[in-house]
Amino acid sequence: MKTISIINLKGGVAKTISSMNMAHILAAVHGYRVLLVDNDKQGNASKILNRHGYSHPGVAEVMTDRAVDMAAVIQHTDYAGLDIITANMNLLAANLQVLLDQSRQQQTRFKKALQQVSGQYDYCIIDNAPDINISTINALVASDDVLVPVTIDDFALDGLAELKEQIDNTKEELNQALCFRGCFITQYDRQNEADLQGEAYLKGLQGYPVFDTHIRRTAKMKPCTFERKPILAYSSRCGAAQDYKAFVEEYLRKSGAVQKM
C-alpha cells in the first residue's frame, strides 16, 4: 500500500477536494483499492462521502486507542473500492491526549494502525488539516509521498517554506522513505495573467517540484460538494473532472506505479 499525504498549511487551497477526488479516481477509473483518511477535525471529506458523525470510531480512535480495531474504524463508502476513516471534532481532544501520553511513541500511531491493513489496499490518501499538529506529523511518518495543492494568489507561498522544513525534518528523523513529490496548482484560471505568472514563478523555485497538470476553476465544484459527490460522479465532462483524472495519471506515471486498468 502506498500512502500519500495531501497537505498545505494554508487553508482554502482544495486539500479536501483534491484528496477525495484523487481517492475516487484511483478507485473508479484505475481499479485500485483505496483507503481515504480524513485527518482534519472539520471532517469535510467525511461529510462529502456521507459518513460524518459521532456514532462510529474514526481517526481520533486511531490516535488514542492502544490496540485499535481497524475493522471497526474503516467504513465502506457508496463507491466501489473506496473506503474511509472518518474524522470529527473528537480529533482535537485526541491530539491533546496524545501529547500528554508519554507511555508510548506519539509519532508512529498512524503508521502502526495502517500497517494492519496494508495488504487490503493499493493506496491510502490522507487529507490533512492546514496545521502541523501531532496527527499531521503522524500522517507524514506513515506516508511515502507528499502532495501540496497551491492556489495562485498574493498568499500562495505562505507556509510553504515551513511545510518543506517539516517534511525534511520528518524524513531525516522519522521516515527516510518520505518523498516530497511536488506541488500542484488548483482553482486555475488560464485567462488570468496572475495565474500564468504565478505558475511560472512557482515552477522556477528551487526545491519545490510542480506537476504539469493544474486543476481548472469550475462552476461545478461548489454544487458537487452540496450534492455530496466526487466531481467525476457529479459532472464527468467538466474541466476540473478531466484535470483531476489527468493529475492522477501524471502522479502514477511520475511515481512509477503499474497501472491496473
Side-chain angles (χ1 to χ4, degrees):
M1 180 178 75
K2 173 161 279 193
T3 301
I4 305 163
S5 272
I6 296 183
I7 187 171
N8 191 324
L9 301 185
K10 182 176 181 292
V13 297
K15 290 184 298 295
T16 295
I17 291 295
S18 297
S19 301
M20 185 266 300
N21 283 297
M22 185 177 186
H24 176 250
I25 288 168
L26 282 168
V29 177
H30 297 276
Y32 288 114
R33 301 165 299 169
V34 183
L35 177 63
L36 176 62
V37 178
D38 188 347
N39 193 28
D40 187 338
K41 64 182 182 296
Q42 296 183 73
N44 289 336
S46 307
K47 293 172 185 175
I48 293 175
L49 292 174
N50 291 301
R51 294 297 182 271
H52 185 264
Y54 288 84
S55 62
H56 199 282
V59 170
E61 285 71 23
V62 171
M63 289 293 292
T64 56
D65 290 1
R66 182 175 291 273
V68 63
D69 181 0
M70 293 298 282
V73 168
I74 295 171
Q75 300 184 56
H76 298 307
T77 71
D78 297 330
Y79 304 96
L82 176 57
D83 293 346
I84 187 170
I85 300 176
T86 59
N88 53 43
M89 284 294 176
N90 290 340
L91 182 56
L92 182 61
N95 278 331
L96 293 175
Q97 183 177 333
V98 171
L99 291 175
L100 295 172
D101 181 6
Q102 303 296 322
S103 65
R104 58 193 178 109
Q105 192 168 3
Q106 298 173 342
Q107 301 95 335
T108 60
R109 301 187 183 189
F110 267 25
K111 182 177 181 178
K112 291 178 179 178
L114 292 175
Q115 283 174 343
Q116 297 180 38
V117 296
S118 61
Q120 300 176 31
Y121 298 97
D122 301 299
Y123 284 92
C124 174
I125 309 293
I126 306 178
D127 174 30
N128 290 283
D131 192 10
I132 292 295
N133 54 36
I134 192 61
S135 62
T136 56
I137 292 172
N138 265 263
L140 292 175
V141 171
S143 294
D144 301 292
D145 287 344
V146 179
L147 301 175
V148 180
V150 176
T151 55
I152 301 300
D153 58 27
D154 191 35
F155 312 106
L157 303 182
D158 282 6
L160 273 184
E162 291 81 3
L163 177 57
K164 181 65 163 51
E165 181 180 6
Q166 183 62 59
I167 294 169
D168 291 342
N169 290 342
T170 302
K171 180 180 178 69
E172 179 180 348
E173 299 172 9
L174 296 164
N175 180 8
Q176 294 182 357
L178 186 63
C179 174
F180 176 30
R181 190 64 64 178
C183 304
F184 63 100
I185 296 171
T186 63
Q187 304 177 51
Y188 184 80
D189 181 359
R190 57 188 172 189
Q191 304 299 321
N192 189 320
E193 185 63 26
D195 279 19
L196 298 175
Q197 293 180 7
E199 180 181 31
Y201 177 77
L202 187 60
K203 286 184 174 180
L205 291 178
Q206 294 295 319
Y208 297 90
V210 180
F211 282 80
D212 294 327
T213 306
H214 41 244
I215 313 301
R216 283 170 284 179
R217 186 184 301 275
T218 174
K220 298 290 186 180
M221 193 57 76
K222 284 186 179 180
C224 90
T225 63
F226 284 103
E227 288 292 322
R228 300 290 195 258
K229 290 182 177 180
I231 189 64
L232 195 65
Y234 180 76
S235 179
S236 62
R237 299 175 65 181
C238 78
Q242 296 303 310
D243 292 343
Y244 273 116
K245 286 176 63 178
F247 171 69
V248 170
E249 290 171 1
E250 184 180 358
Y251 168 77
L252 291 173
R253 185 172 65 253
K254 288 185 173 180
S255 64
V258 177
Q259 298 196 36
K260 295 179 69 173
M261 297 179 63

